[in-house]
Amino acid sequence: MSTPSPVLSTIIIVFALQAILLSALVYFKQPKKQSNTFLSLLIFFYALMALNIAFINVLIRFDSFPIFRYFQLELLYGIGPALYFYTKSISNPNFRFKKRDYLHFLPVIIEFIFYRTAFYRLGAEGMYQAQQHPYTKIYLAEQWLGIISISVYTLFTFKLLIKHQDWLKQHYSNLDKQSLNWLKLPVIFYAFFWIAWNILKELDRIIYEGSLKDYYFLPTFMGLAIVSVWIAFKSYTMPPVNQKEKLKKLKPKADRPINLSEYAKKIELLMTTEKPYLNSDLSLSELANQLEMNTKQLSQTINSCFGKNFYEFVNQYRVGHFIEKVKASEQEKFTLLSLAYDCGFKSKSTFNDSFKKITGTTPTEYIKKMKKESESMHSVD
């Protein structure tokens, strides 16, 4: 434990209590959403962790630390399930929390009861005694299982995010709205906080024998409490995102026998003649309707015949259209970004990433290179 700091402890307590209050507001926010329930739990558990640390420091300051053993607030076993089910809710709107899923939160109840028993009190106190109490091993096992629980759920959470991102690229040509960047922020922050905190703590323990705690311990939890307030406030004030509507549009037509080469020619013809990629909101379902195919047929053809996902396939045509405009010297009349928007891109980052992946250079480098080649040809003439 670090040296008590009244100022930092007060800041942590103030922000942790605010985060807990805001987590309740997020929970009761209308319209009622399953993702808000798990997000409110996630904020609550992390705010409780910060409050727990501040509470310890206050008691140490007044030489009353033994009282803490009767008021342990930390609930490690709730963090992992809340993080996982929040991610599952935002990445799959069709997911519904079932009765059997409550089993994931059963360890939280056991943990809460454990903290009210002598197994915890005597076991935790035994760590600071010359001869460890027999219950200390039980206490350490409970703590390490909590760490393992959060770590395992965090890995499954990242797996869900990666799977969701792949799904988006199979169905959308622009990911700015569909990627749910804001909704993913709590997942990324809370997951990386846990990973970074454990790495930092272990490095300090192994290399510096815990001598650096005063520099990072309380400041880290102060940052956790402040960011939790911001996430909770942002969640409460943010308008709801309707993902159900997006999924309804993706219902396929009846399956027909798949002739991939024939479908590939049909797709190429439409892309070159009708140029549907100029529509920045083009989705797999919309292109499938234009081709009179279902989404399964279209996706399978693009993956097999062109070796790309839908996102890469469409943006390849957009980059090609941009290059045509550059060759026609349109970049001298308009900015590169406005040309990119005319070609169907929705953001500068997506345009730059797609352009570099396809051509191997940035748009600016490509234009400079093209101008040099043009000038050298004219000098030869």
Side-chain angles (χ1 to χ4, degrees):
M1 188 58 61
S2 63
T3 304
S5 169
V7 175
L8 292 180
S9 296
T10 301
I11 293 173
I12 292 172
I13 289 171
V14 169
F15 278 97
L17 289 174
Q18 285 182 334
I20 290 171
L21 176 61
L22 284 168
S23 71
L25 294 177
V26 171
Y27 179 83
F28 290 107
K29 180 182 176 182
Q30 297 298 327
K32 191 75 173 174
K33 292 178 72 69
Q34 184 175 250
S35 58
N36 285 345
T37 299
F38 295 116
L39 179 57
S40 67
L41 283 173
L42 187 58
I43 295 168
F44 172 76
F45 288 131
Y46 266 110
L48 205 61
M49 182 189 289
L51 186 63
N52 192 65
I53 295 297
F55 185 41
I56 292 173
N57 274 264
V58 170
L59 291 176
I60 291 174
R61 181 89 168 85
F62 292 99
D63 296 321
S64 302
F65 180 67
I67 298 174
F68 170 73
R69 300 303 178 195
Y70 295 89
F71 297 95
Q72 166 70 278
L73 300 173
E74 190 175 66
L75 292 173
L76 290 177
Y77 288 83
I79 292 172
L83 182 69
Y84 175 75
F85 284 111
Y86 170 69
T87 308
K88 202 160 189 177
S89 296
I90 63 169
S91 62
N92 180 12
N94 294 326
F95 167 70
R96 289 293 172 267
F97 191 77
K98 298 180 176 64
K99 287 183 178 179
R100 67 172 181 269
D101 293 326
Y102 282 105
L103 291 173
H104 290 268
F105 290 93
L106 181 60
V108 188
I109 299 170
I110 297 172
E111 180 184 18
F112 181 81
I113 295 171
F114 174 76
Y115 287 143
R116 265 69 261 166
T117 66
F119 288 102
Y120 162 68
R121 289 194 299 274
L122 297 176
E125 288 294 340
M127 290 183 62
Y128 304 98
Q129 297 170 0
Q131 186 174 357
Q132 283 191 353
H133 193 281
Y135 291 166
T136 298
K137 290 182 180 179
I138 299 174
Y139 167 69
L140 290 174
E142 182 272 337
Q143 290 288 296
W144 274 105
L145 284 173
I147 291 171
I148 292 169
S149 168
I150 298 175
S151 302
V152 169
Y153 276 107
T154 298
L155 289 175
F156 280 110
T157 293
F158 281 128
K159 187 176 179 182
L160 281 178
L161 284 181
I162 293 169
K163 186 177 179 181
H164 180 58
Q165 198 68 15
D166 291 341
W167 182 89
L168 288 172
K169 287 186 176 182
Q170 292 287 3
H171 292 84
Y172 294 99
S173 61
N174 269 310
L175 307 182
D176 301 290
K177 289 183 179 179
Q178 284 78 18
S179 61
L180 309 176
N181 287 330
W182 152 247
L183 296 176
K184 289 178 183 176
L185 181 62
V187 178
I188 293 168
F189 171 75
Y190 284 126
F192 275 108
F193 171 84
W194 178 255
I195 295 169
W197 167 247
N198 280 286
I199 291 174
L200 183 62
K201 194 169 63 171
E202 286 305 305
L203 286 175
D204 181 29
R205 184 181 65 84
I206 296 169
I207 300 174
Y208 301 100
E209 298 180 349
S211 62
L212 299 181
K213 277 191 175 180
D214 286 346
Y215 297 100
Y216 71 84
F217 199 90
L218 287 179
T220 298
F221 283 95
M222 182 181 71
L224 173 65
I226 292 172
V227 175
S228 293
V229 169
W230 180 77
I231 287 175
F233 178 77
K234 181 93 172 173
S235 303
Y236 180 67
T237 56
M238 188 178 181
V241 178
N242 188 2
Q243 278 291 97
K244 283 185 180 179
E245 196 59 34
K246 291 175 187 173
L247 291 184
K248 285 179 183 177
K249 293 177 182 177
L250 297 176
K251 288 182 179 178
K253 297 176 183 178
D255 286 339
R256 299 170 188 169
I258 295 178
N259 185 330
L260 294 182
S261 59
E262 184 181 313
Y263 285 160
K265 291 176 185 177
K266 189 177 179 181
I267 293 167
E268 282 186 315
L269 180 62
L270 181 76
M271 295 296 282
T272 53
T273 56
E274 301 295 327
K275 299 180 179 178
Y277 53 84
L278 297 180
N279 173 13
S280 60
D281 291 319
L282 183 67
S283 65
L284 184 75
S285 59
E286 188 172 339
L287 185 60
N289 286 334
Q290 293 182 39
L291 290 161
E292 296 184 343
M293 298 166 62
N294 65 42
T295 54
K296 180 183 175 182
Q297 293 167 339
L298 177 57
S299 182
Q300 188 174 343
T301 305
I302 291 173
N303 295 160
S304 301
C305 295
F306 302 103
K308 303 178 186 298
N309 57 44
F310 179 73
Y311 174 80
E312 295 168 335
F313 176 73
V314 174
N315 284 328
Q316 176 183 271
Y317 278 93
R318 288 171 176 161
V319 169
H321 194 69
F322 175 86
I323 291 173
E324 288 178 9
K325 284 181 173 288
V326 169
K327 288 180 178 177
S329 300
E330 289 194 33
Q331 84 280 1
E332 296 175 4
K333 304 175 186 176
F334 307 99
T335 64
L336 294 185
L337 192 56
S338 64
L339 285 180
Y341 286 157
D342 286 343
C343 295
F345 287 102
K346 258 189 168 181
S347 72
K348 184 179 179 180
S349 59
T350 303
F351 166 59
N352 287 334
D353 290 345
S354 298
F355 193 93
K356 190 165 186 178
K357 187 173 183 180
I358 292 168
T359 65
T361 63
T362 66
T364 306
E365 290 170 347
Y366 182 87
I367 291 171
K368 285 181 181 177
K369 183 181 177 183
M370 195 182 72
K371 283 182 177 180
K372 282 183 181 179
E373 290 175 352
S374 178
E375 287 171 0
S376 63
M377 287 178 65
H378 285 307
S379 63
V380 171
D381 293 339

